[in-house]
């Protein structure tokens, strides 16, 4: 009999990390796995950031830092928010955490009481739902489809608002759909939210620098919402720094203080050396890393073209991040002669075990008809993976 808490029993293993684990296991068994499951840039951290970290080691950044982060880093993040996003924050409003994942967990734990509802436009990033669950909130999904470019409207969100709604949480550019909300779409959502002053908004902008429209808009700049928006960002994606574990928020001061209080009891701040490296990253001109975005765009076009050649697959044209989220409903209910593919989860397991391509099912992202493909991989691997997928899908009847 399991002795873990009820809280843990309610939680799922992160689907992205689970798929990464399964593909690693197969690789260890000598299988030629192409893993397009984990969302992390395949680039190395830029040299100028690495140099800053080496200097931080030599300068003895080996002690605990202030819980919300080193003051100079928080000042630099405040400047970055102004420079890139037009957001006004003081250093007191910034909290640096062990990845944007922890930033989001801090905010949810700070704001949610048991039973509070959190609206998640679907598809949403897998961890949102489980973090809300951990904070004893209730997720309320607003569905969308490939035909709507996986975006939801202000009216669709409003339909889900109840007296219990406490938070709206979304990412733009979106993981997993790659969709980018335009300024006018966000203004419409903001206008609707003006009627509901008790709802807070988590705007997850971690893919800000991987935006092919080059028009990123931060909902937190809208004056009427300024006191209710928590802007989440970090260096994992834009600067290829997933392993450094640094994310941050800009938030109303009382929320920043609450997040700091939680973090002070859980991690005592993130790694000092990683914070110094992040300071250099956020101080840099974003053009220093735009070459990665250009490469991602080239790969998006390549994968999209190849996927569109596969019978029954429907894709949107993602405007950011490094994912495609094709609708595979055409294949659900088909069989390989042995078992029936009932869900996108079954389809992912079929592809993993039969042709060693690791994707992630759409189900934990709130859209069971789709699968997520991360194209943060070499062109060679991408072409080989799509060819294997095409061949394997053609065997389903
Ligand atoms: N938000 C989104 C939408 C993500 O895809 C991720 C995945 N890395 C995160 C937050 C968390 O990023 P990290 O913890 O690496 O900063
Ligand atoms: N966020 C990435 C993804 O969606 C990394 C994995 C994770 O943090 O869950 O794949």
């Amino acid at each position: 009999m399991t002795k873990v808490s009820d809280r843990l029993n309610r939680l799922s293993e992160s689907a992205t990390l689970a798929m990464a684990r399964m593909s690693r296991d197969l690789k260890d068994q000598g299988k030629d796995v192409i893993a397009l499951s984990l969302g992390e840039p395949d680039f190395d951290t830029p040299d100028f950031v690495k140099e800053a970290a080496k200097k931080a080691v030599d300068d003895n950044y080996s002690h605990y830092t202030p819980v919300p982060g080193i003051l100079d880093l928080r000042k630099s993040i405040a400047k970055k928010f102004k420079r890139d996003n037009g957001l006004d924050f003081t250093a007191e409003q910034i909290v640096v955490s062990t990845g944007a994942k922890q930033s989001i967990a801090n905010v949810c734990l700070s704001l949610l009481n048991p039973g509070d509802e959190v609206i998640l436009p679907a598809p949403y990033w897998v961890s949102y739902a489980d973090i809300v669950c951990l904070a004893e909130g209730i997720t309320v999904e607003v569905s969308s489809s490939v035909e709507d470019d996986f975006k939801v409207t202000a009216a669709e969100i409003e339909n889900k608002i109840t007296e219990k709604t406490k938070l709206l949480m979304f990412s733009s550019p979106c993981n997993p759909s790659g969709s980018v909300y335009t300024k006018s779409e966000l203004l419409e959502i903001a206008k609707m939210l003006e009627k509901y002053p008790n709802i807070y908004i988590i705007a997850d902008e971690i893919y800000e620098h991987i935006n092919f429209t080059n028009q990123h808009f931060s909902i937190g700049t809208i004056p009427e919402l300024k006191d209710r928006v928590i802007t989440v960002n970090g260096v994992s994606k834009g600067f290829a720094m997933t392993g450094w574990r640094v994310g941050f928020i800009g938030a109303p001061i009382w929320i920043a203080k609450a997040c700091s209080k939680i973090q002070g009891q859980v991690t005592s701040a993130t790694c000092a050396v990683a914070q110094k490296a992040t300071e250099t990253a956020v101080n840099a001109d974003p053009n220093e890393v735009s070459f990665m975005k250009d490469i991602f765009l080239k790969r998006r076009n390549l994968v999209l073209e190849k996927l569109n050649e596969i019978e029954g697959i429907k894709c949107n044209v993602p405007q950011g991040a490094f994912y495609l989220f094709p609708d595979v409903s055409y294949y659900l209910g088909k069989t390989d002669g042995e078992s029936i593919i009932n869900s996108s989860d079954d389809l992912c397991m079929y592809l993993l075990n039969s042709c060693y391509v690791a994707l992630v099912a759409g189900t934990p992202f709130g859209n069971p008809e789709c699968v997520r493909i991360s194209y943060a991989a070499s062109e060679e691997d991408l072409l080989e993976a799509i060819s294997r997928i095409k061949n394997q899908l053609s065997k389903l009847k």
Side-chain angles (χ1 to χ4, degrees):
M1 200 175 66
T2 172
K3 290 190 180 159
V4 300
S5 67
D6 296 343
R7 182 183 300 107
L8 194 90
N9 275 328
R10 282 194 298 269
L11 213 63
S12 327
E13 181 183 4
S14 160
T16 47
L17 301 183
M19 212 51 187
R21 176 176 50 72
M22 282 187 263
S23 48
R24 233 177 268 131
D25 288 349
L26 278 173
K27 259 188 198 163
D28 289 347
Q29 291 166 28
K31 307 291 185 215
D32 173 24
V33 179
I34 304 180
L36 307 182
S37 44
L38 197 58
E40 70 170 335
D42 53 325
F43 299 101
D44 292 326
T45 299
D47 284 343
F48 70 93
V49 176
K50 290 197 248 182
E51 289 308 319
K54 289 177 199 166
K55 182 167 182 320
V57 172
D58 289 340
D59 290 348
N60 295 308
Y61 277 89
S62 50
H63 300 274
Y64 288 129
T65 75
V67 172
I70 295 170
L71 182 59
D72 280 348
L73 169 59
R74 283 182 286 135
K75 283 184 181 164
S76 297
I77 291 170
K79 274 193 204 148
K80 170 261 168 306
F81 272 135
K82 184 69 184 167
R83 179 194 69 200
D84 300 343
N85 314 114
L87 290 162
D88 288 304
F89 292 117
T90 60
E92 290 67 38
Q93 293 177 274
I94 309 292
V95 181
V96 181
S97 300
T98 310
K101 198 180 254 183
Q102 192 197 7
S103 302
I104 294 165
N106 282 344
V107 177
C108 289
L109 290 167
S110 296
L111 291 184
L112 298 177
N113 282 314
D116 281 346
E117 292 176 4
V118 180
I119 296 184
L120 301 180
Y124 46 81
W125 180 42
V126 273
S127 290
Y128 291 172
D130 286 288
I131 290 172
V132 169
C133 169
L134 197 59
E136 296 182 62
I138 294 171
T139 55
V140 177
E141 297 183 8
V142 188
S143 59
S144 70
S145 67
V146 65
E147 285 80 17
D148 324 311
D149 187 22
F150 294 111
K151 289 198 267 190
V152 301
T153 63
E156 286 165 340
I157 295 173
E158 190 169 20
N159 266 336
K160 300 283 181 173
I161 292 177
T162 72
E163 284 189 347
K164 293 221 150 225
T165 309
K166 185 74 182 275
L167 255 180
L168 165 71
M169 174 154 51
F170 69 100
S171 61
S172 177
C174 174
N175 177 1
S177 67
S179 308
V180 173
Y181 279 88
T182 63
K183 179 174 177 181
S184 68
E185 287 162 345
L186 289 173
L187 285 176
E188 216 165 282
I189 292 171
K191 197 157 180 288
M192 178 276 291
L193 288 170
E194 276 180 44
K195 288 186 270 172
Y196 303 96
N198 297 327
I199 299 181
Y200 294 85
I201 301 110
I202 297 185
D204 181 347
E205 305 189 353
I206 191 130
Y207 294 96
E208 172 197 2
H209 292 309
I210 310 169
N211 180 340
F212 313 131
T213 71
N214 292 325
Q215 283 171 343
H216 178 80
F217 182 74
S218 295
I219 195 167
T221 55
I222 297 170
E224 290 77 7
L225 292 190
K226 187 168 125 314
D227 295 333
R228 316 193 248 144
V229 176
I230 301 100
T231 304
V232 176
N233 211 322
V235 286
S236 281
K237 312 295 170 167
F239 290 87
M241 290 175 67
T242 47
W244 298 73
R245 308 309 303 130
V246 185
F248 45 83
I249 56 164
I253 205 148
W254 65 273
I255 297 179
K257 280 194 175 150
C259 290
S260 220
K261 186 173 173 185
I262 290 176
Q263 189 160 290
Q265 296 291 14
V266 181
T267 60
S268 316
T270 193
C271 161
V273 171
Q275 289 190 49
K276 291 307 283 181
T278 299
E279 192 182 319
T280 298
V282 297
N283 281 337
D285 182 334
N287 284 326
E288 295 271 353
V289 286
S290 60
F291 71 94
M292 294 191 233
K293 177 185 68 181
D294 299 340
I295 295 173
F296 283 133
L297 177 58
K298 203 164 154 245
R299 292 177 186 168
R300 181 207 69 181
N301 292 340
L302 181 79
V303 179
L304 196 57
E305 187 194 318
K306 294 288 170 198
L307 279 178
N308 281 333
E309 288 170 6
I310 303 180
E311 190 182 359
I313 295 253
K314 285 187 276 179
C315 296
N316 64 324
V317 181
Q319 297 300 330
F322 37 69
Y323 308 105
L324 280 146
F325 198 58
D327 180 312
V328 294
S329 50
Y330 175 82
Y331 290 97
L332 304 186
K334 293 193 190 293
T335 175
D336 60 352
E338 275 177 26
S339 45
I340 297 176
I341 307 289
N342 281 316
S343 61
S344 58
D345 307 72
D346 290 349
L347 192 72
C348 284
M349 289 319 292
Y350 167 67
L351 293 173
L352 181 65
N353 292 319
S354 60
C355 67
Y356 307 122
V357 176
L359 310 179
V360 189
T363 317
F365 295 93
N367 192 328
E369 312 227 292
C370 297
V371 293
R372 191 188 77 171
I373 302 176
S374 163
Y375 56 84
S378 70
E379 285 190 15
E380 193 190 347
D381 276 357
L382 290 169
L383 286 173
E384 170 63 19
I386 305 294
S387 143
R388 288 190 202 177
I389 293 172
K390 185 176 182 180
N391 179 41
Q392 220 52 43
L393 289 180
S394 72
K395 295 180 187 166
L396 295 176
K397 300 292 169 222

